[in-house]
Amino acid sequence: MIQSLVFADKARAGVYLRLLGMAALWGASWPMGRVVVLTMPPLLGACLRFVFASTLLMVWWLHAGGPKRMGRLSLRQWGALAMASATGIFGYALFFMWGLQHVPAGRAAMVIALNPAATLLLAAVFLRERLNAPILFGMALAMVGAVTALSVGEPWKLIQGGMGSGELIVLGCVACWAIYTLIGRQLQSMDSLSITTMTALMGAAMLFVASWVVEGPRAWATLAQTPATTWLSIVGLALGATVLAYAWFLDGVKTLGASAAAAFISLVPIFGVLFSSLWLGERIDLSLAVGGAFAVVGMLVMHWGRKR
């Protein structure tokens, strides 16, 4: 009996460590993305990330009996998958890479705090989900924190229309993620691995076409001159921040439940700022520290409000 309890505690501790690793990998995606866009066209970088990631996901999906897991999909479900790919993969990756050309990675990572707030707001408007007082308070804290960090301590710039184009582009990630999350609710009959694999494949195809049309064949011809650090960052984005982090998140959801696993997402901005400072030498000033603290507390309050 005692041995089984010890084994259970060790297994649970392993899940917590993997969820911590998930948050670290998602946080690290921001400085890795910054490295990529400073040496490579943004659409090309995003395309390569999801080409590698979708290949790995496809191997995993097939090994897990992918076709049997999916079953037969209706035309409406295929349409929802295409919309999810267009927003959660193509749109998010575009704003992610494009925004990182103009905004330091640590500040850009603060938009993670706005993802749950935007999703809950859209769910309240379109799905008529109820918002209680803790959720609304958490939303306010997260918004103040994220805007404070993005605006370098001058949030009134947003009201006055003085925010830079880079900050506004990064905010496009929030809109894409919120829409993607709501679309995902229309695919509840599918398992999450199938949804992720299919959307990654479709998104990779969309990014390839967009890169070939917008950036042209010349962008692809420069791959031979791409620095090793850029390739390492692309592999890190594909293998670490996309496939491995997703596997650890699924493991956490299976063992601890969706709410407990999702709580670890509040650590993503912290890791994003930390890794951006360590790897890229970005300065952590007072606006970033205070804004980050507000954002993380706001995310935790929203999480608590949803559990209620």
Side-chain angles (χ1 to χ4, degrees):
M1 181 68 174
I2 295 176
Q3 288 181 341
S4 62
L5 289 174
V6 171
F7 178 77
D9 288 340
K10 287 184 177 179
R12 188 172 290 267
V15 173
Y16 283 123
L17 285 175
R18 286 189 287 275
L19 285 171
L20 189 64
M22 170 212 74
L25 287 170
W26 280 346
S29 69
W30 295 90
M32 285 190 289
R34 175 80 168 169
V35 170
V36 172
V37 298
L38 291 180
T39 55
M40 181 180 290
L43 283 171
L44 175 57
C47 174
L48 291 174
R49 171 188 179 177
F50 282 99
V51 166
F52 294 155
S54 60
T55 302
L56 294 170
L57 284 167
M58 178 61 72
V59 172
W60 179 13
W61 180 72
L62 290 173
H63 180 72
K68 294 180 180 179
R69 295 162 69 100
M70 280 186 66
R72 290 187 176 182
L73 299 183
S74 65
L75 186 60
R76 182 175 181 178
Q77 287 175 310
W78 279 112
L81 278 174
M83 287 297 296
S85 303
T87 53
I89 304 299
F90 176 79
Y92 189 94
L94 173 61
F95 287 120
F96 176 82
M97 290 295 195
W98 191 15
L100 283 172
Q101 285 185 314
H102 308 283
V103 180
R107 295 192 184 279
M110 286 297 117
V111 302
I112 295 295
L114 296 177
N115 284 352
T119 302
L120 289 171
L121 280 175
L122 287 182
V125 172
F126 295 104
L127 303 181
R128 298 185 179 181
E129 291 190 6
R130 297 180 63 183
L131 301 178
N132 55 31
I135 289 177
L136 292 172
F137 181 61
M139 283 182 180
L141 287 177
M143 289 179 182
V144 169
V147 172
T148 298
L150 280 173
S151 63
V152 198
E154 298 178 339
W156 53 86
K157 284 184 176 181
L158 183 63
I159 302 174
Q160 298 173 348
M163 288 282 279
S165 59
E167 287 82 359
L168 295 175
I169 291 169
V170 170
L171 290 176
C173 293
V174 179
C176 286
W177 187 259
I179 297 170
Y180 167 76
T181 304
L182 294 188
I183 294 173
R185 297 188 183 186
Q186 309 302 314
L187 296 167
Q188 292 180 352
S189 61
M190 293 179 61
D191 66 283
S192 54
L193 177 58
S194 295
I195 294 173
T196 304
T197 303
M198 292 299 105
T199 53
L201 281 169
M202 292 182 181
M206 294 176 188
L207 287 166
F208 173 78
V209 172
S211 175
W212 195 264
V213 172
V214 176
E215 296 168 344
R218 289 185 178 180
W220 289 77
T222 62
L223 288 179
Q225 289 78 43
T226 301
T229 53
T230 302
W231 284 113
L232 286 173
S233 295
I234 291 174
V235 171
L237 285 168
L239 176 59
T242 306
V243 178
L244 191 56
Y246 175 73
W248 287 345
F249 181 69
L250 279 184
D251 184 40
V253 170
K254 182 179 179 180
T255 307
L256 306 177
S259 295
F264 281 80
I265 297 176
S266 61
L267 299 174
V268 173
I270 297 176
F271 281 115
V273 172
L274 178 62
F275 288 137
S276 298
S277 176
L278 292 174
W279 297 347
L280 305 180
E282 293 183 2
R283 180 170 168 265
I284 303 176
D285 59 21
L286 184 61
S287 66
L288 189 56
V290 173
F294 270 87
V296 170
V297 171
M299 292 178 72
L300 291 173
V301 172
M302 276 188 286
H303 173 70
W304 175 66
R306 292 189 69 183
K307 289 184 67 175
R308 291 186 62 189

